[in-house]
Every structure is written in C-alpha cells, then in structure tokens.
Amino acid sequence: MNNIFVYLEIEDGIVSDVSLELLTKGRSLANELNCKLEALAAGYGLDQVGQQVFPYGVDVLHLADDKRLEPYTSLPHTSLLVKLFQEEKPQIAFMGATTIGRDLGPRVSSALFSGLTADCTSLEIGGYEDRKAGKTYENLLFQIRPAFGGNIVATIVNPDCRPQMATVREGVMKKEIVDPAYKGETRKLKVSDYVSDADFVVEVIERHIEKSKLNIKSAPIIVAGGYGVGSVENFKLLHELAAVLGGEVGASRAAVDAGLAEHERQIGQTGVTVRPKLYIACGISGQIQHIAGMQESAMVISINNDPRAPINAIADYNIIGNIEEVIPKMIKYYKKNSK
Amino acid sequence: MSFNIVVLAKQVPDTRNVGKDAMKADGTVNRGALPAIYNPEDLNALEQALRIKDKFPGTKVQVLTMGPARAAEIIRESLYRGADGGFLLSGREFAGSDTLATSYALACAIRKMGKIDMIICGRQAIDGDTAQVGPQVAEKLGLPQVTYAEEILKIEDGKITVKRRLERGVETVRCPFPMLLTVNASAANCRPRNAKLTLKYKRANTATERNSLEEDCGDFYKTHPHLNITEWGTADIDHEPEWLGLSGSPTKVKSIQNVVFTAKESKTLDASDNTIEELMKELIANHTIG
C-alpha cells in the first residue's frame, strides 16, 4: 500500500534504459517517503527481469508472464495496471514517456480518475497549500514539466487522486545501481485474473523495431543541425564533421519536423537531453525547448549566419557564417592540426 | 460501406514560432503575439478522415472542438477542406480543464452525437504536448485505440489496418470498429482549402458569432441550416458537473516559472580560414576534441 510503482518496458527480455532511470528516481523518492519501490513487468519470457532490476533497489517485482502480453497492446496492459493499482493503491506511478508509456498512461489515468503529467523533467517531494479549499498537503509529488512550447516550466501536483502518475523521457533521469546484491521479492500474477479475452481485439500483424543504433545520450561530441541547415545535402556535412571528430549528429525539432533528420536524433524537451563536452549547433536558432535539452553541454559552438540567433547567448563561440562554408573549414583544419 | 467519423480538433497558440516579438523584454511569453492555429496533427487527423470519405461515399466527417467562441474557426477551416459539419463545445464550466476533464467533456459530447464508428484525432497538441486526450477519450468510451498512426492500409470486414510509427520502427495492427485513432505528424499532410467549399461555407458560424454581428441575419440561417455551426454547452450534454473543468481536473498547477537561461560570455568569430584554424587548434590544445 502507498508505495511507488514503475511500469517496466521490456524488449526481447531486456529492461529498457528509461525504466531503469525511473527505478533509480523511484528508489530515491521511496527513501524520502519511507515507502517501498515496486515494479511491474508485463510480457512473455520474463525470467531475466528480476536480476536486471533488483540492483536498482526494487522491493517487490510483479511479474505478468503471458504469451498474449507480448508484443504490447493497449487494452490488456491497461487492464493489468488498473486492476493491480486498485489492489495495491500506490501513491505514485511512473512510466517512460515512450510510444508505449504515452499510449498506456492516459488510459490508466482515465480509468482510475488519477492525474497524469506527461514528460516530466524533474520530480520532487514537497508540500502544497490549496488556499481556496483551505487544505494543506504534505509529501506530494511535484511533477515539473515544460509547457507552452517550452517557454515556461510548470510544477503540477495531484492533491487528492491516487496514484500520482507521471511519464519521463529517456535520458532525462540518471540511471544508477544502488546495490548489486539488493534483495527484492518476486510476485507472479495470475494474468487471467487481470485481463479478459475482450482485451485482445487489437492484433499486431507486423512489427519492425530496430535496436537503437544511435547513442546520442552518451556521445562526447555532438554536431547538431537545425532548420537553418536547409537541406539533407547540408546535413551530410554535419555527418562528416561528426565522423571526423568522433561524435554523433543531433537535430532540433524543427529539423526533424522538416524531414532533415530522423526523430531519434532530436535533442530538446521533446527529444533527448544531452550533456556532451562539445556541442556544435549548426543553423539552430535556439528555441527554449531545444536549449533545455543541451544547456548542460560543457562547451557550445554556434554556427549561424544570424548574429542575433537566441542560441548565441548561451554559446561559448559564435561563428557567423554559412554551414557550407564553415564546416568544411573545420574539417580541414582539424585534420591538419590533429596530427 | 460508409462510416460516421468524429475528428477531434483543437485551436492552439502557435508555440512553434515563438520568435523575438513573442517574447517580452522580461523573458516572458507575450501570448497576444502568438496566432491561434489549427493544431497541426489534428489537420493530419482530418486528412485521414477525408480520405476515408473519398473512398467510402456516404461517410460523414464531423469535427468536434472544445474551446472559446473563436474556436469556431477550427470548424470553418474543416468545412473548407471537406468536413460535413462541426460542433463547438463551449462554456465557462469547461475552463481550467486538464486533459482528464477535457476527455470527459469530449466523451460526453461524442455520446450525444449518436452512433460513431471512428474517432480520429491528432497524436498531441503543440501547446501541451501531452498526447493524453485521445487515449483518455477512448478509455472513457470503452473503445480500443490505435495511437501513432501514420497510414491507414486497409478497411475491410469491420476492421481497420493501420501502420503505426514508433520510436524505433513501425508496427502494423488490425483493430475492429468502433475505435479511436491518433495520427502522427508523419502521416499525410492535410489537403488545402477547396475553393468551392470555402465559398460555400464562408458564412458558416455559430449562434454566438451571429449575435455579435452588426447586421440582422433574419431567417438566413433557418433557410441555410448547413451554415449553422452547432454550439453545445453543458446543458446539451449528459454529464456530472463535478467532472468538468477545475473540479474534474485531478492535476493542479502549483506554480509556473518562466524559463530564463543565463547567458554566457560568448566570443563572436568570423568564418575566415585563419579564425577557424585558430579555433580548431585551441579545441585540440585543451582536449575538447582529438
């Protein structure tokens, strides 16, 4: 009762990074609230899940192991969570702000009439006073998230409804093992008590999921392009520079929306959060929602032909010029001087 | 075969183009400077509905939006592109709704619309980016959902086959009607306004809009009922009052902060060979690269 729950995302038996990041956050909040951390794994062939998650401080692991639960579909996973939450009455529940978490979370919150805050960038515990109702609350979950295109940051609370639900994007929280020998308990759920046949009306006919080839999150150098890069051709220059420097290519939302780069490369509040030692922003104007995802970079170089681009204010170096001109020079003089 | 389709659409401030004019000197957002637009992914949703209508004559596409009086613009914009009609759900009781109270109100309105085969909406709205309202409406109505739709591949035997665009791949699913679909930006763009339809529906408006006009419309809208945009308030839908608006919203905004980034001391460089070479030398020397 009153514990913290994390819904685990599992692909081929491997628990995803975003789930491990949420467990890490959940563990530290559980310590603060003096409650337990519980996790739910729903899928098929989940024997290896326990050993992956217990080191993150999971006290209770609920396993729903059933062939019909893999691959994920909305209805059965919703039914599982709704029923389990009705029994266990968690105070807080987290899921990844992934295609699965964002499909599942709203349904569960709608069924339970509990508040859900999407894409939180920070989660804290604190008190809240509702002056109108004359009520004060202790130990609420502060769900902090950008809003209004990233121009403001709002702190959201769910004073009366439980669980307090939040989703968080991959890479926003840090992942950290608390104790490799941490002991938790495994509870196997009788799946047929939680789902009905009617939950399986949606069939998955075909599925092509690629393993993430990119690792933008941990790249030491990122060459990122914005709408100002202009063309797919020019984006190839960014790839060349990244390859020469041993980095990865990132992109702003505008560039992704314009089809200049894959969604997986998107950096910012609606993409990945990165902390490289060098961030080269090419043709990126620097909307707040982008800056929020890269402001912790150790060094920022901005290449832009607009000297007043907002990103220039947070850059260490602003090169005023065109991508087509500047990047080949960077490649040339890096090669010349790096020997 | 024909279908009754409801498209859920939202009027949103255009947060994508928060340019220099849209920020005040103190770094806060000048909301007045942001134009109100048709939420982009809801346009992708409308296109999917219109394509079904093209393919299955007799299909009826109705647009439902919740918002203030000026949100009637969304309905007109939809009529110009081929929708058959629209409903504006409006009233101060709906103000302050979070996603859950919004989905409750929309679900009540959809129930009122009769037998519906399909609800189509954008994946998310750009002012909140939550992607919650679609699935929450589906849950309230007890319907299956297919989210992140990129393309409708087939409709046959009472089932729809949809290609979904996921983070790292694609998935094809088959779902029986009635159902709810949320559509991605990666789906086909919406067709532009049709000139004939734009002329036809130029004078389409709500009773509220007509009342604020200088001229007296007389019987015009009685004789031209297709130009009437239906306006619904709380009295028109079956609902529990405490589930609407603020009281129906479990989430409360505790505080709001403007995002202000601390400016660094930046060096401005030109793009000359000499400058770039010096920069690269410096980055190599301090082990930032190499």
Side-chain angles (χ1 to χ4, degrees):
Chain A
M1 293 285 185
N2 282 321
N3 291 328
I4 297 179
F5 267 72
V6 173
Y7 170 84
L8 302 175
E9 267 182 56
I10 298 153
E11 187 78 36
D12 296 332
I14 307 293
V15 180
S16 70
D17 270 358
V18 69
S19 301
L20 299 176
E21 290 158 12
L22 287 170
L23 289 175
T24 306
K25 187 52 160 186
R27 183 67 258 169
S28 82
L29 295 179
N31 292 347
E32 205 176 331
L33 292 167
N34 201 14
C35 70
K36 285 182 177 169
L37 174 65
E38 307 196 22
L40 168 70
Y44 186 55
L46 304 175
D47 305 343
Q48 312 292 316
V49 171
Q51 65 197 54
Q52 294 174 66
V53 299
F54 286 128
Y56 290 87
V58 173
D59 298 304
V60 182
L61 170 64
H62 302 263
L63 281 184
D65 206 330
D66 188 314
K67 200 165 185 182
R68 297 174 300 165
L69 295 174
E70 171 74 36
Y72 167 89
T73 51
S74 318
L75 296 178
H77 283 243
T78 300
S79 295
L80 250 171
L81 249 72
V82 169
K83 211 148 182 214
L84 186 66
F85 286 178
Q86 281 166 343
E87 290 167 2
E88 299 290 336
K89 303 201 175 2
Q91 57 172 311
I92 290 172
F94 295 140
M95 39 194 98
T98 56
T99 44
I100 289 179
R102 299 174 112 232
D103 182 88
L104 175 66
R107 278 203 88 110
V108 174
S109 83
S110 186
L112 295 173
F113 192 79
S114 65
L116 167 64
T117 306
D119 297 347
C120 293
T121 48
S122 180
L123 296 161
E124 294 165 16
I125 301 296
Y128 170 66
E129 188 187 352
D130 183 346
R131 291 210 185 91
K132 252 193 212 159
K135 281 196 204 166
T136 54
Y137 300 83
E138 300 292 325
N139 292 331
L140 285 187
L141 179 69
F142 286 1
Q143 300 148 52
I144 300 160
R145 80 174 302 254
F148 214 68
N151 298 287
I152 56 175
V153 170
T155 301
I156 314 284
V157 289
N158 307 338
D160 297 309
C161 303
R162 296 290 175 272
Q164 307 164 78
M165 293 176 62
T167 66
V168 179
R169 283 181 180 272
E170 183 182 339
V172 172
M173 303 290 168
K174 294 203 172 89
K175 157 180 112 170
E176 213 166 53
I177 285 177
V178 289
D179 176 3
Y182 199 90
K183 289 266 182 301
E185 174 199 342
T186 302
R187 289 186 201 160
K188 289 197 170 148
L189 302 179
K190 195 175 164 213
V191 175
S192 57
D193 288 349
Y194 292 84
V195 301
S196 70
D197 290 345
D199 287 333
F200 296 96
V201 292
V202 177
E203 314 147 71
V204 176
I205 300 169
E206 225 184 323
R207 206 159 174 269
H208 296 284
I209 304 294
E210 289 167 27
K211 289 259 162 11
S212 180
K213 283 168 291 190
L214 300 174
N215 205 346
I216 294 188
K217 254 193 313 181
S218 50
I221 295 169
I222 292 176
V223 183
Y227 190 71
V229 171
S231 66
V232 175
E233 257 57 58
N234 283 352
F235 240 92
K236 286 186 188 144
L237 291 173
L238 274 60
H239 283 275
E240 271 176 51
L241 179 60
V244 169
L245 298 179
E248 267 297 351
V249 172
S252 74
R253 181 175 180 165
V256 172
D257 285 349
L260 298 176
E262 305 99 296
H263 185 259
E264 224 180 325
R265 299 189 185 274
Q266 188 173 315
I267 291 165
Q269 278 163 352
T270 48
V272 196
T273 302
V274 296
R275 303 169 179 89
K277 66 179 179 169
L278 174 63
Y279 192 89
I280 305 177
C282 310
I284 292 180
S285 65
Q287 292 201 1
I288 285 170
Q289 85 99 6
H290 182 78
I291 293 177
M294 48 65 73
Q295 57 174 324
E296 289 173 50
S297 306
M299 182 186 279
V300 177
I301 297 175
S302 164
I303 308 171
N304 209 304
N305 49 24
D306 178 5
R308 295 168 309 151
I311 199 165
N312 292 357
I314 63 140
D316 300 272
Y317 294 97
N318 298 310
I319 305 175
I320 312 301
N322 294 323
I323 312 293
E324 306 91 298
E325 182 190 1
V326 176
I327 292 185
K329 284 183 188 173
M330 290 176 94
I331 295 172
K332 175 175 161 195
Y333 292 115
Y334 172 74
K335 283 185 176 162
K336 181 179 161 194
N337 290 292
S338 65
K339 281 159 200 159
Chain B
M1 197 163 33
S2 64
F3 300 91
N4 272 328
I5 303 177
V6 179
V7 174
L8 303 179
K10 184 181 187 186
Q11 192 177 45
V12 293
D14 191 356
T15 55
R16 293 170 309 174
N17 300 308
V18 180
K20 289 160 196 109
D21 322 334
M23 301 300 282
K24 295 185 202 157
D26 61 358
T28 62
V29 184
N30 181 8
R31 288 171 194 242
L34 294 175
I37 58 164
Y38 204 119
N39 180 52
E41 284 180 330
D42 296 342
L43 277 173
N44 296 101
L46 176 64
E47 176 61 24
Q48 292 304 319
L50 296 175
R51 285 182 178 203
I52 296 173
K53 186 182 160 185
D54 292 343
K55 217 167 173 179
F56 300 96
T59 291
K60 200 169 165 194
V61 176
Q62 302 193 87
V63 177
L64 172 64
T65 189
M66 181 168 114
R70 66 181 148 81
E73 194 55 43
I74 293 299
I75 310 283
R76 266 189 298 278
E77 197 57 58
S78 311
L79 293 168
Y80 297 160
R81 293 163 194 254
D84 299 289
F87 294 81
L88 169 65
L89 192 57
S90 199
R92 58 192 169 85
E93 297 88 344
F94 301 110
S97 294
D98 70 359
T99 62
L100 201 65
T102 302
S103 61
Y104 177 71
L106 291 171
C108 291
I110 293 166
R111 277 200 200 99
K112 171 96 180 176
M113 293 169 82
K115 187 189 157 285
I116 299 297
D117 301 298
M118 205 178 170
I119 300 163
I120 313 185
C121 56
R123 175 188 55 140
Q124 62 189 39
I126 57 169
D127 56 345
D129 284 332
T130 71
Q132 288 174 5
V133 170
Q136 285 175 335
V137 167
E139 176 67 28
K140 296 248 176 286
L141 296 172
L143 299 179
Q145 71 194 34
V146 175
T147 52
Y148 295 91
E150 183 167 270
E151 199 185 344
I152 296 174
L153 300 176
K154 205 161 54 178
I155 295 180
E156 62 180 24
D157 304 330
K159 288 187 178 183
I160 181 167
T161 306
V162 180
K163 183 171 104 183
R164 305 176 68 212
R165 171 65 53 186
L166 308 178
E167 282 148 329
R168 287 198 283 272
V170 290
E171 188 180 85
T172 305
V173 299
R174 186 157 52 208
C175 178
F177 293 111
M179 57 87 68
L180 181 141
L181 190 74
T182 81
V183 181
N184 256 4
S186 63
N189 286 331
C190 193
R191 61 196 64 186
R193 292 175 181 179
N194 174 297
K196 269 190 193 162
L197 292 173
T198 306
L199 266 178
K200 180 177 172 189
Y201 287 113
K202 213 172 61 184
R203 297 185 68 181
N205 56 22
T206 61
T208 304
E209 286 175 313
R210 290 199 284 280
N211 291 338
S212 65
L213 292 177
E214 304 264 311
E215 51 175 314
D216 181 15
C217 307
D219 278 347
F220 182 78
Y221 286 91
K222 277 193 189 132
T223 51
H224 298 78
H226 65 282
L227 294 182
N228 177 53
I229 295 174
T230 310
E231 218 170 356
W232 276 345
T234 47
D236 300 298
I237 56 171
D238 290 330
H239 69 285
E240 299 291 333
E242 69 269 25
W243 287 15
L244 294 179
L246 271 181
S247 64
S249 302
T251 60
K252 311 284 174 205
V253 177
K254 181 181 166 282
S255 57
I256 280 178
Q257 272 178 306
N258 288 301
V259 177
V260 181
F261 295 106
T262 14
K264 284 186 188 172
E265 260 185 58
S266 357
K267 274 188 207 164
T268 299
L269 308 176
D270 58 53
S272 70
D273 282 76
N274 194 24
T275 311
I276 305 280
E277 179 159 20
E278 287 310 311
L279 174 65
M280 296 318 271
K281 277 187 189 165
E282 190 185 321
L283 294 178
I284 293 166
N286 64 25
H287 303 289
T288 302
I289 54 177

